[in-house]
Amino acid sequence: MRLLVFQHIECEHPGSLRQFLDADGVQWDAINLDQGETIPDLSPYDGLWVMGGPMDVWDVEEHPWLVAEKAAIRRWVGELKKPYLGLCLGHQLLADALGGACSPQKPPEIGILDIELTAEGQADPLFAGLPARQKCLQWHSVQVTQPPEDSVLLASSQACRVQSMRVGENAWSMQYHVELEPDTVANWAAVPAYYNALMASIGPTGLETMNREAGNNMADFTSNAQKLCRNFLSLV
């Protein structure tokens, strides 16, 4: 099995999911689009993961590689019909690339917060064995406001209705993050855009609060990430 990963900033890699890929002998190649790396031939790959990043789906003038990335997502999901997993920006890009819509999240949703699976989410094979209500890391100021055609809502939160969706039978995405490691919050807070959003949303103790709450929930984060990763691999 061979996995392709689109990354948009160095610190937003597959995180804890890497250990499960390695344990299962899954070969994966990361393409750092923000560093000018080009999208390879898609045909050798069995799955595509699209990670998060500080840019927005409409920032095509500042980040022109977004145009090629969206085209690759459309081809992967719509033509090749291979399994796709998008996290945060990868969730928004799936919606945008396939004809949905995104808009600013006001106020931004930032913190260790709850999401809840819908009835469809609880029945979806990607979430097999995962709790219907779970805590996760939220750090976003854009949301999917209109999912693409042929979409099913899989999870929601009070602040953001489209927390997870499936498009067709081969593409899944989540607004929230499942890939946390013990150093994730600190690493992401080193990005000025993320740090400023955190301070504006939670206040001067925001970093300390998020670090503490992430640590308190790390065992559940890791367990949930392992189940989700292996569920996805079983679908490839």
Side-chain angles (χ1 to χ4, degrees):
M1 187 183 299
R2 192 174 178 192
L3 191 67
L4 181 62
V5 179
F6 290 165
Q7 296 180 177
H8 312 99
I9 186 171
E10 185 178 3
C11 65
E12 288 209 53
H13 44 66
S16 66
L17 301 172
R18 296 175 295 182
Q19 63 183 296
F20 312 123
L21 295 176
D22 293 344
D24 291 351
V26 177
Q27 178 184 352
W28 60 282
D29 300 326
I31 307 302
N32 297 289
L33 296 171
D34 62 306
Q35 297 177 22
E37 295 181 1
T38 57
I39 296 171
D41 177 15
L42 301 177
S43 58
Y45 294 96
D46 303 298
L48 173 62
W49 286 2
V50 180
M51 309 309 295
M55 59 288 300
D56 297 324
V57 294
W58 48 76
D59 290 341
V60 293
E61 291 188 6
E62 185 178 356
H63 306 289
W65 45 263
L66 283 167
V67 175
E69 182 178 20
K70 293 177 191 180
I73 292 171
R74 279 193 296 273
R75 180 164 183 261
W76 183 273
V77 175
E79 297 177 26
L80 300 179
K81 297 190 182 301
K82 294 182 179 182
Y84 172 101
L85 181 68
L87 299 178
C88 199
L89 178 60
H91 169 71
Q92 299 159 11
L93 285 168
L94 177 65
D96 187 85
L98 298 184
C102 301
S103 66
Q105 171 87 43
K106 296 182 179 180
E109 190 178 27
I110 300 175
I112 306 299
L113 303 169
D114 290 325
I115 63 95
E116 189 159 356
L117 299 179
T118 63
E120 292 79 6
Q122 293 178 55
D124 194 279
L126 184 67
F127 295 113
L130 288 159
R133 189 177 184 87
Q134 54 190 272
K135 289 194 178 296
C136 59
L137 175 67
Q138 301 278 9
W139 209 326
H140 67 103
S141 56
V142 172
Q143 64 177 320
V144 174
T145 49
Q146 179 60 55
E149 291 185 8
D150 198 22
S151 297
V152 177
L153 182 65
L154 301 179
S156 293
S157 72
Q158 283 191 329
C160 177
R161 187 180 76 90
V162 188
Q163 284 288 349
S164 178
M165 63 184 180
R166 185 184 71 245
V167 183
E169 298 300 325
N170 61 301
W172 292 263
S173 63
M174 285 152 280
Q175 182 58 68
Y176 55 94
H177 292 276
V178 300
E179 72 275 29
L180 269 71
E181 297 177 296
D183 61 354
T184 296
V185 172
N187 288 340
W188 292 2
V191 179
Y194 291 167
Y195 180 80
N196 293 337
L198 174 62
M199 292 299 104
S201 180
I202 305 180
T205 63
L207 180 55
E208 177 185 349
T209 298
M210 188 181 282
N211 255 322
R212 182 180 64 253
E213 293 183 357
N216 291 341
N217 290 278
M218 192 58 62
D220 287 340
F221 291 155
T222 303
S223 175
N224 290 343
Q226 181 181 36
K227 290 173 185 174
L228 188 138
C229 182
R230 291 191 165 143
N231 287 343
F232 180 85
L233 295 178
S234 74
L235 295 166
V236 173

